[in-house]
Amino acid sequence: RKQPPAKSLNDKLTDKELKIDLNNRLAFVKHLFNGSTEDYNRVLSQLNTIDSHERSISFIENMVRPDYNHWAGKEEYIERFMHLIERRFS
């Protein structure tokens, strides 16, 4: 039996990257990041470097939400965003 080629670190990281489709991305930028694609991209880049679900949640709760009025009234979008983060680690 042939062994599959070993994955490079880059492959492993890419596998764990957050995958967010265009519709969600546009909704998140508009509703969670006050229309700032730059802020959204920065947060996603940071999330992609975090290696656990718990740390990702902590980062969102402590570093991101306070900058955006804790995403008050944005429950539907928060739920979708957090679900995608959760899927990354499942």
Side-chain angles (χ1 to χ4, degrees), residues 20-31 40 77 80 84:
I20 298 179
D21 65 47
L22 184 63
N23 286 340
N24 274 329
R25 186 170 67 98
L26 294 173
F28 296 153
V29 167
K30 180 179 177 184
H31 296 282
Y40 167 83
Y77 301 101
R80 277 164 47 189
L84 290 169

Side-chain angles (χ1 to χ4, degrees), residues 20-82:
I20 298 179
D21 65 47
L22 184 63
N23 286 340
N24 274 329
R25 186 170 67 98
L26 294 173
F28 296 153
V29 167
K30 180 179 177 184
H31 296 282
L32 300 180
F33 295 94
N34 297 339
S36 173
T37 303
E38 197 178 303
D39 286 3
Y40 167 83
N41 287 334
R42 189 185 66 240
V43 167
L44 242 69
S45 290
Q46 289 172 295
L47 278 171
N48 282 326
T49 67
I50 298 174
D51 60 2
S52 82
H53 182 243
E54 294 71 27
R55 275 192 226 125
S56 296
I57 300 304
S58 176
F59 169 71
I60 294 291
E61 296 297 333
N62 300 309
M63 306 300 286
V64 178
R65 288 182 67 166
D67 288 349
Y68 301 94
N69 194 29
H70 295 277
W71 291 344
K74 309 285 186 177
E75 283 70 21
E76 176 195 342
Y77 301 101
I78 297 168
E79 204 172 294
R80 277 164 47 189
F81 192 64
M82 299 316 251

